[in-house]
C-alpha cells in the first residue's frame, strides 16, 4: 500500500468536491493534524461543521461545504517560517493581501498565519486556502 500524503489528500478532496458544487465531502484517511486543519478552516469560515466517522479502517471525515474555497493545497516540503517572513509567503501562495490564509503549524497548534502574526510566532507552512 503506498504511503498517502494525508494533507495533500485532504486539500485535493476539499477542492474537487467544492468545484463540483457539492454540499458535503468525505475525506479519507484521517489524522490528528488533518483534524486540526479542519478545525482551523471551520473557525475561519471556509467550511461548515465536520465530524470524524470511525470505520475501523483509519476513519473518515464528513465535512459540510459552504462554497467558500476557490483554491487550496498542501505546501510541501513544509517550509520553516519566521514570524517576520509571512508576507513573502503570502505573495507566493495567496492571490491578494486581504484574501485567503496560509495554514501554519506552530508550537501552539495549527492556526492561520494571521493568528500566528498576531501572536508573534513562527512555525511550518502546511497549506493555503482562499
Amino acid at each position: 500500500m503506498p504511503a498517502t500524503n494525508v494533507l495533500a489528500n485532504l486539500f485535493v478532496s476539499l477542492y474537487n468536491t467544492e468545484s463540483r458544487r457539492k454540499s458535503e465531502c468525505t475525506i479519507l484517511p484521517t489524522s490528528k493534524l488533518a483534524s486540526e486543519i479542519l478545525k482551523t478552516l471551520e473557525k475561519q469560515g471556509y467550511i461548515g461543521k465536520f465530524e470524524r466517522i470511525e470505520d475501523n479502517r483509519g476513519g473518515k471525515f464528513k465535512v459540510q461545504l459552504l462554497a467558500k474555497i476557490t483554491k487550496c493545497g498542501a505546501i510541501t516540503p513544509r517550509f520553516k517560517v519566521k514570524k517576520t517572513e509571512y508576507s513573502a509567503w503570502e505573495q507566493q501562495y495567496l492571490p491578494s493581501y486581504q484574501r485567503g490564509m496560509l495554514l501554519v503549524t506552530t508550537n501552539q497548534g495549527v492556526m492561520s498565519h494571521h493568528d500566528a502574526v498576531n501572536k508573534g510566532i513562527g512555525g511550518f507552512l502546511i497549506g493555503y486556502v482562499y
Side-chain angles (χ1 to χ4, degrees):
M1 186 177 141
T4 50
N5 182 338
V6 178
L7 295 190
N9 205 33
L10 175 128
F11 287 118
V12 165
S13 303
L14 280 176
Y15 176 69
N16 289 344
T17 317
E18 190 82 83
S19 60
R20 290 195 194 89
R21 304 267 185 267
K22 298 268 193 286
S23 63
E24 70 172 33
C25 117
T26 306
I27 298 171
L28 300 144
T30 64
S31 73
K32 278 200 177 109
L33 185 59
S35 175
E36 290 299 311
I37 288 171
L38 289 172
K39 277 183 197 145
T40 307
L41 290 175
E42 182 180 22
K43 198 176 95 191
Q44 301 288 338
Y46 284 100
I47 60 173
K49 297 267 171 255
F50 73 94
E51 61 175 334
R52 181 163 196 248
I53 298 160
E54 197 45 71
D55 59 2
N56 297 326
R57 296 199 307 268
K60 57 188 171 193
F61 292 116
K62 199 175 215 126
V63 183
Q64 300 301 125
L65 297 176
L66 306 172
K68 295 261 174 80
I69 297 174
T70 315
K71 186 90 181 84
C72 61
I75 298 175
T76 48
R78 291 180 183 168
F79 296 107
K80 194 177 211 138
V81 192
K82 294 193 179 92
K83 63 185 181 215
T84 53
E85 297 173 339
Y86 287 112
S87 58
W89 291 101
E90 271 180 76
Q91 286 165 7
Q92 190 172 339
Y93 287 106
L94 303 178
S96 70
Y97 180 64
Q98 283 300 322
R99 224 172 130 220
M101 68 174 184
L102 299 168
L103 286 151
V104 191
T105 175
T106 68
N107 56 8
Q108 297 176 23
V110 174
M111 59 182 74
S112 75
H113 75 283
H114 304 293
D115 293 346
V117 167
N118 292 341
K119 291 182 177 173
I121 52 181
F124 287 94
L125 290 182
I126 49 179
Y128 64 92
V129 58
Y130 57 84

